[in-house]
Amino acid sequence: MSGASGPHAAGRKDGLRTDVQALRAIAVTLVLVFHLWPSSITGGYVGVDVFFVISGFLITSHLLGRRPRTGRDLADFWARRIRRLLPASLTVLVATLAATRLLAPETRWGATADQAQAAALYYVNWLLASSSVDYLAADDAPSAVQHFWSLSVEEQFYVGWPILVLVLGLLGTVGALRRHSRAVLGAGLVLVALASFAWSVYYTAADPARAYFVTTTRVWELAAGGILAFGVTGARWRAPRAGSALAVLGLLLIVVAAVRYDEGTAFPGTAAALPVLGAVLVIAGQTAPSSGVGRVLAVRPVQWLGDVSYAVYLWHWPIIVLLGEVSGRLGVLDSIAVLASTLVLAALTKKYVEDPFRGGRWSVRLRDTYVLGASGMAVVVALTLLQGAELDRRQARAQEQLAQATDDPCFGAASLAPGAACEPPTGAPVPAPATAAEDRSEAYEEVGGRDCWASRPDFDDVRCSFGPADADVRVVLTGNSHAGHWLPALQVLAQSRGWRIDTYLASQCALSQVPQRFDTDAHSRACQDWVRRTTATIAQEAPDLVVTSNRISVSAVGVAPQDNGAAYRSGYEAVLREWSEAGLAVLALHDTPAPGDGGLHSVPDCVAEHLDDLEACSAPRSEWEPDDVVVDAVAAIGDPRVRSADLNDLICGPQRCEGVVGGAVVYFDGSHLTATYARTLAPFLAPVVDDLLPEPRAGRAVG
């Protein structure tokens, strides 16, 4: 995305290369079309990879033309990058924060502020990588600043690459290496590129979600442009037709990747080599504006789009996201409006923000550059902190409202109890939508201070304990995230009775001895191994009661879709039979309704947007409630101490499921119960648990 000017070959009057500017235009067009009409160019995301090659080429060309030899040289280089990149990016971040506050529901403010802060400090790609494997975050709406991940990769490259060139240059002055200083530089650049490419191939196969965002898997793409700059320094094609042929071939490779790739392509890895090679060939061709291909690339609209491509990339995604908040699903006219407004804002940004900061009187003063850059970043960070402070105040008020609501005998699940005569609640739902999105059980690190989940890539064994270590009764809660959301209900019982609860939980991996299809075979095997180990560990430790529940969110490996349920049922039977043979008491809870199955991926978002019409956050029960084959598996075991229970009548009405029940927000996303609602289910879970625990351990009922 860097807009730095390049070598003067095949150039315009202002010194920019027409072929490179055209390549920028092509790259940003691919990204735009992919985001506006994703089904038309399913691999349009490769436009980012084309940008990476361009940036690596131009930056390395500058470094080779003005070789850094001292720390001052590095400071000058970084100052030029600050003047070129920060004014526009910080302007867009400030505008996006303000627009999000005005247009988006409060459930989006926190995530947008966190990512905007990370974007201003250029580490948002690592933040996104850390959350990319979070199953609970899978359905989260993308923030309006998520696209800054690629800019973060570039900025990190701009920090490290000049240092590498400086070090290699100094190394080339030592002893016998002086005779081969250019070879030392070239070899160093190539080694870094090869190491990054090898890591990208490995990490994309091992952990593709994280691999997409991290800098280490992308450096080779920028380095490819850098190596090209090193190889062609001072060189020009003497055969224009050969150069044009290279450019055409390169463009074809980019188009093939854009058309053939899709969201299922393992990326970056080896797949990124196609658009990267295409971009390298286009630049290597050095097509002159007078050649046949060059004349096409040099037409004024293409050059103009290349000139404003950085600003186009910055503006297009916030407009897409925020217009979607206002109008819902983007239609054809909405997409055209996004395109038009993006181009207008890009033109204005180029003229009134980018150009003045590159040529202002202060732009040559090193201290002014760093002071203004740091000040701009501080402004964005301050705005994000203010947004966080407001959310904290709202959360404090929400906690007060929640404390008052829990005294109501018709709050939450109690309003659906048989014989309940409850009036519809009149106050605002609790917890408040922004708080509801974080209203999770203590099994989550951000709530309980510890991460109690086995997760990809390795599904390592993780056990958390709640309650006294010397308790007479030990209850084990196990399964995937749809077991984890029952922890608050069990804690209500455990705290009044002195039980200890141990959890063996996994993210997405169901506790069923069946191969489950994850994004890599290694992840599938790791899940299957976790199931075997956990089943055996629980059987060996012999707790007083095992409570389990699971959501089937991935298909079984090697079976037809119509046989998926039977495969999972067989896997459940294997787990339950092992526990039955160990003499354990087991309670298998029927899986809970999931709004996401009906297309409602965030109940808190829906509630925030429809406080005056909560019926919009409901659906027929048949759309949300899953069939759960664990019931059949329990019946097949035929052991009176292995039972199933269905509490879904306390989550949904006879005909419809609601996002808010008895004044309580039921879900913190599109699938998982809020901790608040789960606690309201405790009195109804108590008799089922008591019936399985031997006397006198069961203690008194809760209600």
Side-chain angles (χ1 to χ4, degrees):
M1 268 63 71
S2 169
S5 60
H8 293 203
R12 310 184 312 195
K13 292 181 179 179
D14 56 9
L16 299 177
R17 282 179 51 170
T18 54
D19 55 344
V20 172
Q21 292 302 94
L23 193 57
R24 280 202 186 105
I26 291 167
V28 82
T29 299
L30 291 176
V31 174
L32 262 175
V33 174
F34 173 67
H35 285 156
L36 287 172
W37 299 284
S39 60
S40 61
I41 302 182
T42 55
Y45 54 81
V46 301
V48 171
D49 305 272
V50 174
F51 273 126
F52 284 160
V53 175
I54 296 171
S55 296
F57 173 76
L58 296 177
I59 293 305
T60 307
S61 297
H62 285 308
L63 289 170
L64 295 177
R66 193 185 300 182
R67 187 81 63 87
R69 304 184 188 279
T70 66
R72 172 71 187 213
D73 292 340
L74 292 178
D76 286 338
F77 171 83
W78 290 326
R80 292 194 296 274
R81 302 281 66 71
I82 290 171
R83 293 193 295 268
R84 175 63 186 95
L85 300 174
L86 259 64
S89 66
L90 296 178
T91 297
V92 173
L93 284 175
V94 170
T96 301
L97 282 169
T100 299
R101 178 62 180 77
L102 294 173
L103 301 175
E106 65 182 55
T107 49
R108 306 283 176 83
W109 299 350
T112 301
D114 289 343
Q115 291 185 23
Q117 183 178 123
L121 300 176
Y122 289 99
Y123 69 89
V124 71
N125 65 310
W126 292 99
L127 179 65
L128 292 171
S130 68
S131 63
S132 63
V133 294
D134 182 358
Y135 167 59
L136 298 180
D139 288 332
D140 286 355
S143 83
V145 297
Q146 185 169 299
H147 65 312
F148 271 76
W149 75 268
S150 59
L151 303 179
S152 295
V153 170
E154 289 195 2
E155 285 296 319
Q156 292 159 32
F157 176 82
Y158 297 158
V159 171
W161 196 248
I163 296 175
L164 176 65
V165 172
L166 172 63
V167 170
L168 291 173
L170 293 176
L171 185 62
T173 64
V174 177
L177 294 178
R178 292 180 180 179
R179 300 179 182 177
H180 310 286
S181 58
R182 180 175 171 81
V184 170
L185 177 60
L189 302 184
V190 170
L191 284 175
V192 169
L194 290 175
S196 173
F197 178 73
W199 174 249
S200 180
V201 172
Y202 165 77
Y203 205 36
T204 300
D207 199 352
R210 283 194 178 100
Y212 189 85
F213 293 109
V214 298
T215 307
T216 50
T217 63
R218 299 288 190 162
V219 164
W220 72 271
E221 301 182 35
L222 292 115
I227 293 168
L228 174 63
F230 175 82
V232 301
T233 300
R236 286 298 307 275
W237 282 101
R238 295 183 178 180
R241 290 184 180 179
S244 295
L246 284 179
V248 171
L249 177 59
L251 292 173
L252 286 175
L253 293 179
I254 294 170
V255 170
V256 168
V259 173
R260 297 295 299 273
Y261 291 177
D262 57 28
E263 293 183 353
T265 302
F267 205 87
T270 56
L274 194 61
V276 167
L277 177 59
V280 166
L281 291 177
V282 173
I283 299 172
Q286 302 185 54
T287 51
S290 58
S291 68
V293 176
R295 281 195 295 271
V296 175
L297 298 179
V299 296
R300 181 164 298 185
V302 173
Q303 292 297 298
W304 179 85
L305 184 56
D307 291 345
V308 299
S309 59
Y310 177 53
V312 167
Y313 184 83
L314 288 174
W315 281 113
H316 85 284
W317 185 247
I319 296 172
I320 289 173
V321 171
L322 294 171
L323 183 59
E325 298 289 356
V326 175
S327 64
R329 191 173 183 178
L330 293 182
V332 175
L333 292 180
D334 296 312
S335 297
I336 294 173
V338 168
L339 183 60
S341 56
T342 295
L343 295 177
V344 170
L345 285 171
L348 294 174
T349 302
K350 176 72 165 55
K351 182 175 181 179
Y352 294 109
V353 178
E354 294 184 63
D355 292 345
F357 276 92
R358 279 190 293 177
R361 65 171 181 80
W362 61 270
S363 66
V364 295
R365 298 175 60 182
L366 197 63
R367 186 189 66 178
D368 289 351
T369 295
Y370 282 96
V371 168
L372 286 171
S375 299
M377 296 168 78
V379 167
V380 175
V381 171
L383 290 174
T384 65
L385 294 176
L386 287 173
Q387 182 63 84
E390 181 182 359
L391 287 173
D392 288 341
R393 288 193 298 271
R394 290 182 176 228
Q395 185 172 12
R397 289 199 302 268
Q399 291 299 323
E400 294 174 1
Q401 295 170 347
L402 178 59
Q404 296 171 0
T406 53
D407 294 332
D408 184 347
C410 286
F411 182 64
S415 66
L416 294 176
C422 298
E423 297 294 328
T426 56
V430 292
T435 305
E438 302 300 327
D439 187 20
R440 308 176 181 185
S441 81
E442 287 187 63
Y444 297 98
E445 184 175 8
E446 61 270 25
V447 180
R450 48 187 165 169
D451 186 357
C452 298
W453 300 90
S455 57
R456 293 173 288 170
D458 299 319
F459 287 102
D460 292 328
D461 295 327
V462 180
R463 178 173 72 177
C464 289
S465 296
F466 304 86
D470 59 351
D472 290 334
V473 174
R474 178 178 170 235
V475 176
V476 163
L477 176 64
T478 186
N480 60 18
S481 59
H482 275 216
H485 67 195
W486 284 102
L487 178 61
L490 287 172
Q491 284 180 295
V492 172
L493 306 183
Q495 288 166 3
S496 65
R497 304 172 181 202
W499 299 347
R500 187 179 89 192
I501 302 173
D502 291 333
T503 64
Y504 297 87
L505 302 170
S507 176
Q508 199 171 10
C509 176
L511 194 72
S512 174
Q513 291 188 11
V514 59
Q516 299 169 48
R517 187 179 302 282
F518 284 87
D519 45 8
T520 71
D521 292 340
H523 292 177
S524 296
R525 289 191 299 270
C527 167
Q528 195 170 9
D529 290 342
W530 176 84
V531 171
R532 293 193 185 103
R533 292 195 311 271
T534 301
T535 304
T537 297
I538 293 172
Q540 183 178 5
E541 294 183 353
D544 297 280
L545 175 67
V546 179
V547 179
T548 185
S549 188
N550 294 277
R551 169 173 166 80
I552 299 175
S553 59
V554 297
S555 60
V557 175
V559 301
Q562 65 270 21
D563 298 326
N564 198 57
Y568 270 94
R569 183 181 66 239
S570 177
Y572 286 140
E573 286 183 26
V575 171
L576 296 174
R577 194 171 303 281
E578 187 168 341
W579 290 340
S580 173
E581 292 173 354
L584 303 186
V586 181
L587 175 61
L589 294 171
H590 194 292
D591 190 17
T592 50
D597 292 342
L600 180 55
H601 297 298
S602 174
V603 169
D605 283 359
C606 182
V607 172
E609 294 168 353
H610 300 93
L611 285 172
D612 297 329
D613 181 23
L614 292 176
E615 188 67 20
C617 307
S618 68
R621 184 165 173 168
S622 59
E623 293 184 11
W624 288 10
E625 187 171 34
D627 293 328
D628 194 348
V629 293
V630 76
V631 176
D632 296 330
V634 168
I637 297 299
D639 183 342
R641 291 184 55 76
V642 177
R643 304 182 191 176
S644 62
D646 186 350
L647 275 67
N648 285 346
D649 285 344
L650 296 161
I651 298 174
C652 293
Q655 302 299 325
R656 295 187 69 80
C657 291
E658 310 282 343
V660 176
V661 172
V665 179
V666 182
Y667 303 90
F668 67 72
D669 55 6
S671 171
H672 302 85
L673 301 177
T674 61
T676 295
Y677 198 84
R679 292 187 191 102
T680 70
L681 289 163
F684 308 99
L685 182 62
V688 182
V689 170
D690 288 347
D691 200 35
L692 274 168
L693 282 173
E695 294 291 349
R697 292 181 169 182
R700 63 179 177 83
V702 172

mmCIF file with all atom_site columns, all heavy atoms in Angstrom, residues 145-160:
data_model
loop_
_atom_site.group_PDB
_atom_site.id
_atom_site.type_symbol
_atom_site.label_atom_id
_atom_site.label_alt_id
_atom_site.label_comp_id
_atom_site.label_asym_id
_atom_site.label_entity_id
_atom_site.label_seq_id
_atom_site.pdbx_PDB_ins_code
_atom_site.Cartn_x
_atom_site.Cartn_y
_atom_site.Cartn_z
_atom_site.occupancy
_atom_site.B_iso_or_equiv
_atom_site.pdbx_formal_charge
_atom_site.auth_seq_id
_atom_site.auth_comp_id
_atom_site.auth_asym_id
_atom_site.auth_atom_id
_atom_site.pdbx_PDB_model_num
ATOM 1   N N   . VAL A 1 145 ? -11.660 -1.223 11.057 1.00 0.00 ? 145 VAL A N   1
ATOM 2   C CA  . VAL A 1 145 ? -10.226 -0.959 10.868 1.00 0.00 ? 145 VAL A CA  1
ATOM 3   C C   . VAL A 1 145 ? -9.436  -2.244 10.685 1.00 0.00 ? 145 VAL A C   1
ATOM 4   O O   . VAL A 1 145 ? -8.212  -2.235 10.714 1.00 0.00 ? 145 VAL A O   1
ATOM 5   C CB  . VAL A 1 145 ? -9.652  -0.146 12.050 1.00 0.00 ? 145 VAL A CB  1
ATOM 6   C CG1 . VAL A 1 145 ? -10.309 1.216  12.121 1.00 0.00 ? 145 VAL A CG1 1
ATOM 7   C CG2 . VAL A 1 145 ? -9.827  -0.889 13.361 1.00 0.00 ? 145 VAL A CG2 1
ATOM 8   N N   . GLN A 1 146 ? -10.128 -3.335 10.466 1.00 0.00 ? 146 GLN A N   1
ATOM 9   C CA  . GLN A 1 146 ? -9.450  -4.626 10.356 1.00 0.00 ? 146 GLN A CA  1
ATOM 10  C C   . GLN A 1 146 ? -8.471  -4.668 9.191  1.00 0.00 ? 146 GLN A C   1
ATOM 11  O O   . GLN A 1 146 ? -7.449  -5.361 9.245  1.00 0.00 ? 146 GLN A O   1
ATOM 12  C CB  . GLN A 1 146 ? -10.487 -5.731 10.220 1.00 0.00 ? 146 GLN A CB  1
ATOM 13  C CG  . GLN A 1 146 ? -9.921  -7.137 10.221 1.00 0.00 ? 146 GLN A CG  1
ATOM 14  C CD  . GLN A 1 146 ? -11.008 -8.183 10.362 1.00 0.00 ? 146 GLN A CD  1
ATOM 15  O OE1 . GLN A 1 146 ? -11.727 -8.225 11.345 1.00 0.00 ? 146 GLN A OE1 1
ATOM 16  N NE2 . GLN A 1 146 ? -11.150 -9.025 9.352  1.00 0.00 ? 146 GLN A NE2 1
ATOM 17  N N   . HIS A 1 147 ? -8.754  -3.901 8.145  1.00 0.00 ? 147 HIS A N   1
ATOM 18  C CA  . HIS A 1 147 ? -7.896  -3.936 6.964  1.00 0.00 ? 147 HIS A CA  1
ATOM 19  C C   . HIS A 1 147 ? -6.521  -3.329 7.208  1.00 0.00 ? 147 HIS A C   1
ATOM 20  O O   . HIS A 1 147 ? -5.613  -3.483 6.372  1.00 0.00 ? 147 HIS A O   1
ATOM 21  C CB  . HIS A 1 147 ? -8.573  -3.213 5.804  1.00 0.00 ? 147 HIS A CB  1
ATOM 22  C CG  . HIS A 1 147 ? -8.789  -1.741 6.017  1.00 0.00 ? 147 HIS A CG  1
ATOM 23  N ND1 . HIS A 1 147 ? -9.339  -1.227 7.167  1.00 0.00 ? 147 HIS A ND1 1
ATOM 24  C CD2 . HIS A 1 147 ? -8.527  -0.660 5.226  1.00 0.00 ? 147 HIS A CD2 1
ATOM 25  C CE1 . HIS A 1 147 ? -9.410  0.085  7.084  1.00 0.00 ? 147 HIS A CE1 1
ATOM 26  N NE2 . HIS A 1 147 ? -8.912  0.455  5.916  1.00 0.00 ? 147 HIS A NE2 1
ATOM 27  N N   . PHE A 1 148 ? -6.332  -2.679 8.350  1.00 0.00 ? 148 PHE A N   1
ATOM 28  C CA  . PHE A 1 148 ? -5.027  -2.105 8.666  1.00 0.00 ? 148 PHE A CA  1
ATOM 29  C C   . PHE A 1 148 ? -3.978  -3.180 8.946  1.00 0.00 ? 148 PHE A C   1
ATOM 30  O O   . PHE A 1 148 ? -2.805  -2.856 9.127  1.00 0.00 ? 148 PHE A O   1
ATOM 31  C CB  . PHE A 1 148 ? -5.138  -1.167 9.877  1.00 0.00 ? 148 PHE A CB  1
ATOM 32  C CG  . PHE A 1 148 ? -5.467  0.259  9.515  1.00 0.00 ? 148 PHE A CG  1
ATOM 33  C CD1 . PHE A 1 148 ? -6.748  0.616  9.140  1.00 0.00 ? 148 PHE A CD1 1
ATOM 34  C CD2 . PHE A 1 148 ? -4.490  1.237  9.551  1.00 0.00 ? 148 PHE A CD2 1
ATOM 35  C CE1 . PHE A 1 148 ? -7.061  1.922  8.813  1.00 0.00 ? 148 PHE A CE1 1
ATOM 36  C CE2 . PHE A 1 148 ? -4.789  2.551  9.223  1.00 0.00 ? 148 PHE A CE2 1
ATOM 37  C CZ  . PHE A 1 148 ? -6.074  2.899  8.847  1.00 0.00 ? 148 PHE A CZ  1
ATOM 38  N N   . TRP A 1 149 ? -4.393  -4.450 8.974  1.00 0.00 ? 149 TRP A N   1
ATOM 39  C CA  . TRP A 1 149 ? -3.415  -5.509 9.247  1.00 0.00 ? 149 TRP A CA  1
ATOM 40  C C   . TRP A 1 149 ? -2.280  -5.491 8.228  1.00 0.00 ? 149 TRP A C   1
ATOM 41  O O   . TRP A 1 149 ? -1.105  -5.686 8.578  1.00 0.00 ? 149 TRP A O   1
ATOM 42  C CB  . TRP A 1 149 ? -4.094  -6.881 9.258  1.00 0.00 ? 149 TRP A CB  1
ATOM 43  C CG  . TRP A 1 149 ? -4.447  -7.420 7.900  1.00 0.00 ? 149 TRP A CG  1
ATOM 44  C CD1 . TRP A 1 149 ? -5.626  -7.265 7.243  1.00 0.00 ? 149 TRP A CD1 1
ATOM 45  C CD2 . TRP A 1 149 ? -3.599  -8.181 7.033  1.00 0.00 ? 149 TRP A CD2 1
ATOM 46  N NE1 . TRP A 1 149 ? -5.568  -7.885 6.013  1.00 0.00 ? 149 TRP A NE1 1
ATOM 47  C CE2 . TRP A 1 149 ? -4.336  -8.464 5.866  1.00 0.00 ? 149 TRP A CE2 1
ATOM 48  C CE3 . TRP A 1 149 ? -2.296  -8.662 7.137  1.00 0.00 ? 149 TRP A CE3 1
ATOM 49  C CZ2 . TRP A 1 149 ? -3.810  -9.196 4.808  1.00 0.00 ? 149 TRP A CZ2 1
ATOM 50  C CZ3 . TRP A 1 149 ? -1.765  -9.395 6.080  1.00 0.00 ? 149 TRP A CZ3 1
ATOM 51  C CH2 . TRP A 1 149 ? -2.530  -9.657 4.937  1.00 0.00 ? 149 TRP A CH2 1
ATOM 52  N N   . SER A 1 150 ? -2.624  -5.255 6.958  1.00 0.00 ? 150 SER A N   1
ATOM 53  C CA  . SER A 1 150 ? -1.587  -5.293 5.918  1.00 0.00 ? 150 SER A CA  1
ATOM 54  C C   . SER A 1 150 ? -0.660  -4.088 6.026  1.00 0.00 ? 150 SER A C   1
ATOM 55  O O   . SER A 1 150 ? 0.542   -4.188 5.736  1.00 0.00 ? 150 SER A O   1
ATOM 56  C CB  . SER A 1 150 ? -2.222  -5.349 4.528  1.00 0.00 ? 150 SER A CB  1
ATOM 57  O OG  . SER A 1 150 ? -3.049  -4.219 4.309  1.00 0.00 ? 150 SER A OG  1
ATOM 58  N N   . LEU A 1 151 ? -1.194  -2.948 6.459  1.00 0.00 ? 151 LEU A N   1
ATOM 59  C CA  . LEU A 1 151 ? -0.341  -1.782 6.668  1.00 0.00 ? 151 LEU A CA  1
ATOM 60  C C   . LEU A 1 151 ? 0.626   -2.021 7.822  1.00 0.00 ? 151 LEU A C   1
ATOM 61  O O   . LEU A 1 151 ? 1.768   -1.558 7.795  1.00 0.00 ? 151 LEU A O   1
ATOM 62  C CB  . LEU A 1 151 ? -1.206  -0.549 6.952  1.00 0.00 ? 151 LEU A CB  1
ATOM 63  C CG  . LEU A 1 151 ? -2.243  -0.197 5.889  1.00 0.00 ? 151 LEU A CG  1
ATOM 64  C CD1 . LEU A 1 151 ? -3.029  1.028  6.308  1.00 0.00 ? 151 LEU A CD1 1
ATOM 65  C CD2 . LEU A 1 151 ? -1.575  0.027  4.545  1.00 0.00 ? 151 LEU A CD2 1
ATOM 66  N N   . SER A 1 152 ? 0.158   -2.752 8.827  1.00 0.00 ? 152 SER A N   1
ATOM 67  C CA  . SER A 1 152 ? 1.044   -3.087 9.947  1.00 0.00 ? 152 SER A CA  1
ATOM 68  C C   . SER A 1 152 ? 2.191   -3.970 9.481  1.00 0.00 ? 152 SER A C   1
ATOM 69  O O   . SER A 1 152 ? 3.342   -3.794 9.902  1.00 0.00 ? 152 SER A O   1
ATOM 70  C CB  . SER A 1 152 ? 0.252   -3.790 11.047 1.00 0.00 ? 152 SER A CB  1
ATOM 71  O OG  . SER A 1 152 ? -0.711  -2.925 11.617 1.00 0.00 ? 152 SER A OG  1
ATOM 72  N N   . VAL A 1 153 ? 1.891   -4.931 8.616  1.00 0.00 ? 153 VAL A N   1
ATOM 73  C CA  . VAL A 1 153 ? 2.950   -5.785 8.067  1.00 0.00 ? 153 VAL A CA  1
ATOM 74  C C   . VAL A 1 153 ? 3.983   -4.924 7.344  1.00 0.00 ? 153 VAL A C   1
ATOM 75  O O   . VAL A 1 153 ? 5.198   -5.086 7.531  1.00 0.00 ? 153 VAL A O   1
ATOM 76  C CB  . VAL A 1 153 ? 2.359   -6.839 7.112  1.00 0.00 ? 153 VAL A CB  1
ATOM 77  C CG1 . VAL A 1 153 ? 3.470   -7.565 6.354  1.00 0.00 ? 153 VAL A CG1 1
ATOM 78  C CG2 . VAL A 1 153 ? 1.506   -7.844 7.880  1.00 0.00 ? 153 VAL A CG2 1
ATOM 79  N N   . GLU A 1 154 ? 3.509   -3.990 6.525  1.00 0.00 ? 154 GLU A N   1
ATOM 80  C CA  . GLU A 1 154 ? 4.439   -3.150 5.773  1.00 0.00 ? 154 GLU A CA  1
ATOM 81  C C   . GLU A 1 154 ? 5.278   -2.283 6.702  1.00 0.00 ? 154 GLU A C   1
ATOM 82  O O   . GLU A 1 154 ? 6.493   -2.146 6.527  1.00 0.00 ? 154 GLU A O   1
ATOM 83  C CB  . GLU A 1 154 ? 3.666   -2.277 4.782  1.00 0.00 ? 154 GLU A CB  1
ATOM 84  C CG  . GLU A 1 154 ? 3.083   -3.045 3.610  1.00 0.00 ? 154 GLU A CG  1
ATOM 85  C CD  . GLU A 1 154 ? 2.653   -2.140 2.481  1.00 0.00 ? 154 GLU A CD  1
ATOM 86  O OE1 . GLU A 1 154 ? 2.856   -0.909 2.606  1.00 0.00 ? 154 GLU A OE1 1
ATOM 87  O OE2 . GLU A 1 154 ? 2.127   -2.640 1.479  1.00 0.00 ? 154 GLU A OE2 1
ATOM 88  N N   . GLU A 1 155 ? 4.641   -1.663 7.699  1.00 0.00 ? 155 GLU A N   1
ATOM 89  C CA  . GLU A 1 155 ? 5.393   -0.794 8.606  1.00 0.00 ? 155 GLU A CA  1
ATOM 90  C C   . GLU A 1 155 ? 6.458   -1.573 9.365  1.00 0.00 ? 155 GLU A C   1
ATOM 91  O O   . GLU A 1 155 ? 7.569   -1.085 9.592  1.00 0.00 ? 155 GLU A O   1
ATOM 92  C CB  . GLU A 1 155 ? 4.430   -0.117 9.589  1.00 0.00 ? 155 GLU A CB  1
ATOM 93  C CG  . GLU A 1 155 ? 3.610   1.000  8.984  1.00 0.00 ? 155 GLU A CG  1
ATOM 94  C CD  . GLU A 1 155 ? 4.477   2.155  8.515  1.00 0.00 ? 155 GLU A CD  1
ATOM 95  O OE1 . GLU A 1 155 ? 5.441   2.528  9.226  1.00 0.00 ? 155 GLU A OE1 1
ATOM 96  O OE2 . GLU A 1 155 ? 4.213   2.687  7.427  1.00 0.00 ? 155 GLU A OE2 1
ATOM 97  N N   . GLN A 1 156 ? 6.126   -2.778 9.789  1.00 0.00 ? 156 GLN A N   1
ATOM 98  C CA  . GLN A 1 156 ? 7.125   -3.597 10.487 1.00 0.00 ? 156 GLN A CA  1
ATOM 99  C C   . GLN A 1 156 ? 8.272   -3.951 9.539  1.00 0.00 ? 156 GLN A C   1
ATOM 100 O O   . GLN A 1 156 ? 9.440   -4.009 9.947  1.00 0.00 ? 156 GLN A O   1
ATOM 101 C CB  . GLN A 1 156 ? 6.454   -4.844 11.049 1.00 0.00 ? 156 GLN A CB  1
ATOM 102 C CG  . GLN A 1 156 ? 5.471   -4.549 12.180 1.00 0.00 ? 156 GLN A CG  1
ATOM 103 C CD  . GLN A 1 156 ? 4.458   -5.649 12.395 1.00 0.00 ? 156 GLN A CD  1
ATOM 104 O OE1 . GLN A 1 156 ? 4.733   -6.828 12.179 1.00 0.00 ? 156 GLN A OE1 1
ATOM 105 N NE2 . GLN A 1 156 ? 3.256   -5.274 12.828 1.00 0.00 ? 156 GLN A NE2 1
ATOM 106 N N   . PHE A 1 157 ? 7.941   -4.179 8.282  1.00 0.00 ? 157 PHE A N   1
ATOM 107 C CA  . PHE A 1 157 ? 8.970   -4.425 7.272  1.00 0.00 ? 157 PHE A CA  1
ATOM 108 C C   . PHE A 1 157 ? 9.851   -3.192 7.107  1.00 0.00 ? 157 PHE A C   1
ATOM 109 O O   . PHE A 1 157 ? 11.089  -3.296 7.013  1.00 0.00 ? 157 PHE A O   1
ATOM 110 C CB  . PHE A 1 157 ? 8.310   -4.799 5.953  1.00 0.00 ? 157 PHE A CB  1
ATOM 111 C CG  . PHE A 1 157 ? 9.265   -4.980 4.805  1.00 0.00 ? 157 PHE A CG  1
ATOM 112 C CD1 . PHE A 1 157 ? 9.949   -6.168 4.635  1.00 0.00 ? 157 PHE A CD1 1
ATOM 113 C CD2 . PHE A 1 157 ? 9.474   -3.963 3.886  1.00 0.00 ? 157 PHE A CD2 1
ATOM 114 C CE1 . PHE A 1 157 ? 10.833  -6.345 3.574  1.00 0.00 ? 157 PHE A CE1 1
ATOM 115 C CE2 . PHE A 1 157 ? 10.348  -4.126 2.819  1.00 0.00 ? 157 PHE A CE2 1
ATOM 116 C CZ  . PHE A 1 157 ? 11.028  -5.317 2.666  1.00 0.00 ? 157 PHE A CZ  1
ATOM 117 N N   . TYR A 1 158 ? 9.233   -2.009 7.084  1.00 0.00 ? 158 TYR A N   1
ATOM 118 C CA  . TYR A 1 158 ? 9.986   -0.774 6.906  1.00 0.00 ? 158 TYR A CA  1
ATOM 119 C C   . TYR A 1 158 ? 10.935  -0.509 8.073  1.00 0.00 ? 158 TYR A C   1
ATOM 120 O O   . TYR A 1 158 ? 11.942  0.180  7.919  1.00 0.00 ? 158 TYR A O   1
ATOM 121 C CB  . TYR A 1 158 ? 9.043   0.417  6.755  1.00 0.00 ? 158 TYR A CB  1
ATOM 122 C CG  . TYR A 1 158 ? 8.155   0.370  5.545  1.00 0.00 ? 158 TYR A CG  1
ATOM 123 C CD1 . TYR A 1 158 ? 6.971   1.102  5.510  1.00 0.00 ? 158 TYR A CD1 1
ATOM 124 C CD2 . TYR A 1 158 ? 8.469   -0.406 4.437  1.00 0.00 ? 158 TYR A CD2 1
ATOM 125 C CE1 . TYR A 1 158 ? 6.135   1.064  4.412  1.00 0.00 ? 158 TYR A CE1 1
ATOM 126 C CE2 . TYR A 1 158 ? 7.645   -0.456 3.335  1.00 0.00 ? 158 TYR A CE2 1
ATOM 127 C CZ  . TYR A 1 158 ? 6.476   0.285  3.326  1.00 0.00 ? 158 TYR A CZ  1
ATOM 128 O OH  . TYR A 1 158 ? 5.649   0.246  2.246  1.00 0.00 ? 158 TYR A OH  1
ATOM 129 N N   . VAL A 1 159 ? 10.602  -1.028 9.234  1.00 0.00 ? 159 VAL A N   1
ATOM 130 C CA  . VAL A 1 159 ? 11.496  -0.884 10.382 1.00 0.00 ? 159 VAL A CA  1
ATOM 131 C C   . VAL A 1 159 ? 12.687  -1.841 10.266 1.00 0.00 ? 159 VAL A C   1
ATOM 132 O O   . VAL A 1 159 ? 13.841  -1.452 10.467 1.00 0.00 ? 159 VAL A O   1
ATOM 133 C CB  . VAL A 1 159 ? 10.740  -1.129 11.708 1.00 0.00 ? 159 VAL A CB  1
ATOM 134 C CG1 . VAL A 1 159 ? 11.718  -1.205 12.878 1.00 0.00 ? 159 VAL A CG1 1
ATOM 135 C CG2 . VAL A 1 159 ? 9.720   -0.021 11.950 1.00 0.00 ? 159 VAL A CG2 1
ATOM 136 N N   . GLY A 1 160 ? 12.413  -3.093 9.953  1.00 0.00 ? 160 GLY A N   1
ATOM 137 C CA  . GLY A 1 160 ? 13.453  -4.106 9.975  1.00 0.00 ? 160 GLY A CA  1
ATOM 138 C C   . GLY A 1 160 ? 14.319  -4.167 8.731  1.00 0.00 ? 160 GLY A C   1
ATOM 139 O O   . GLY A 1 160 ? 15.539  -4.423 8.818  1.00 0.00 ? 160 GLY A O   1
#
